[in-house]
Amino acid sequence: MGPIPISLLPQNTAMGEDGRVTIGGCDLVELAHEHGTPLFVYSEAQLRARCREAVAAFGDGVAYATKAFSTVEMVRLAYEEGMSLDVATGGELYVAQAAEIPGERIVVHGNNKSVGELRAALEVGVGRIVVDSFDEMDRIEKLVFAGMPPPAVLVRVTPGVEAHTHEYLRTGVADSKFGFSLASGDAERAIAQAGASEAMELVGIHAHIGSQVFSVDSFRKAIKVLAPLVVSSEVEEFSIGGGLGVAYVTGEEAPTITEWADTVKSVCAKQGIEARVVAEPGRAIVAQAAVTLYTVGTIKEIP
């Protein structure tokens, strides 16, 4: 096994003449001695650069998917750089609150939101809830009719597109547990129900086709499939979700956030989508800004 290609490490990684590696000027051996191992080390400069790139590429409304790396300082950093926050659990919402992120800058996800999680989201006054099932819509209506404020919602649609990624990471196929199926007609029924409900304001359509997607063609296909629904629904927002791939090993290459956004917006324009196009990058923001340090404990020679 050879050395790790520098392209897979944080951009401000350097090696001194003594062979010691630094990230952002911080010596990794010294960090390991000070904090112990295993130890996650993130480059703040690269994290901020990625957030700025996402905001420049997609504009206001682009959200950092906190499931990729959720700590108080990380979500605060993303917010400081102009991103909203995508949370998928009550715990992630708690972290966002601990970081004092305004509720209107939070998007709530999850395919099995509990009544408690929905109540907490409404109490905070989150900016968006991405509804994932008819059961969830019923829960929201009960909470609102009991006195909670009505939320703005996006309907998550499963386009039936098979992304070029591992089969366990595909979430846009027809039999996915996420969202409302376009093929079955559930998506149109969900949009109609949300639009007619007094308990929620329908503002958009959401789709997420999978994780570790290296080909922008997968996003292009999904947009073409969803375009008629987005246009006919006359919603103000269209979220393409996240899932942009990140190179972890030698030989892998991934589009930049800017290249991804350019493709998505270009296809949307050609398909007549006038809604504001937003996205939710997570892994693409944080993965290559980090390394994990370990201490070798045992060495076994195996023929």
Side-chain angles (χ1 to χ4, degrees):
M1 182 181 294
I4 298 173
I6 194 70
S7 61
L8 298 179
L9 298 172
Q11 291 174 346
N12 50 359
T13 300
M15 180 178 290
E17 294 182 358
D18 58 358
R20 297 276 282 264
V21 178
T22 63
I23 295 179
C26 299
D27 185 286
L28 298 188
V29 174
E30 290 180 1
L31 290 176
H33 287 162
E34 180 179 355
H35 299 285
T37 59
L39 179 67
F40 295 113
V41 179
Y42 281 82
S43 165
E44 180 179 349
Q46 185 160 337
L47 290 172
R48 291 188 180 277
R50 286 288 190 271
C51 290
R52 291 171 191 153
E53 181 185 5
V55 173
F58 283 101
D60 184 52
V62 63
Y64 166 57
T66 63
K67 64 177 70 66
F69 175 42
S70 180
T71 67
V72 170
E73 288 304 318
M74 179 61 220
V75 300
R76 185 178 288 143
L77 180 155
Y79 173 69
E80 289 173 352
E81 296 299 340
M83 299 191 76
S84 293
L85 298 177
D86 153 14
V87 303
T89 65
E92 290 174 8
L93 178 60
Y94 178 86
V95 171
Q97 289 180 268
E100 301 182 339
I101 307 302
E104 63 268 18
R105 298 293 291 183
I106 299 174
V107 181
V108 177
H109 267 280
N111 71 327
N112 188 31
K113 305 178 190 70
S114 68
V115 172
E117 287 172 323
L118 289 170
R119 181 183 293 110
L122 296 179
E123 288 174 346
V124 173
V126 297
R128 301 284 187 268
I129 294 179
V130 180
V131 293
D132 204 279
S133 68
F134 290 110
D135 284 348
E136 181 183 331
M137 295 170 75
D138 291 342
R139 292 174 194 143
I140 291 174
E141 290 186 334
K142 289 178 181 178
L143 287 169
V144 172
F145 293 152
M148 302 293 291
V153 304
L154 284 80
V155 171
R156 179 166 178 172
V157 178
T158 306
V161 171
E162 191 169 289
H164 289 277
T165 184
H166 191 281
E167 61 179 315
Y168 293 163
L169 301 180
R170 296 171 187 157
T171 59
V173 292
D175 61 351
S176 170
K177 66 182 179 180
F178 298 98
F180 299 91
S181 169
L182 183 64
S184 71
D186 279 352
E188 290 185 348
R189 287 191 287 271
I191 290 170
Q193 181 173 326
S197 175
E198 296 180 0
M200 61 193 80
E201 177 192 3
L202 174 65
V203 297
I205 290 174
H206 179 282
H208 180 83
I209 60 173
S211 298
Q212 277 296 81
V213 181
F214 288 99
S215 173
V216 293
D217 283 341
S218 296
F219 295 100
R220 185 180 288 111
K221 291 176 183 177
I223 294 168
K224 289 181 178 179
V225 169
L226 290 166
L229 182 66
V230 176
V231 172
S232 64
S233 301
E234 298 182 340
V235 290
E236 61 189 69
E237 290 182 20
F238 174 46
S239 175
I240 195 61
L244 183 66
V246 170
Y248 285 116
V249 297
T250 302
E252 287 185 335
E253 293 185 7
T256 65
I257 293 174
T258 301
E259 291 168 341
W260 176 43
D262 288 346
T263 297
V264 166
K265 291 191 290 187
S266 173
V267 178
C268 284
K270 290 178 181 177
Q271 295 298 315
I273 295 175
E274 298 180 354
R276 179 176 65 152
V277 179
V278 295
E280 297 157 351
R283 187 194 306 257
I285 297 290
V286 299
Q288 285 196 312
V291 297
T292 310
L293 307 183
Y294 299 94
T295 300
V296 176
T298 299
I299 298 176
K300 291 184 178 181
E301 298 291 344
I302 301 175

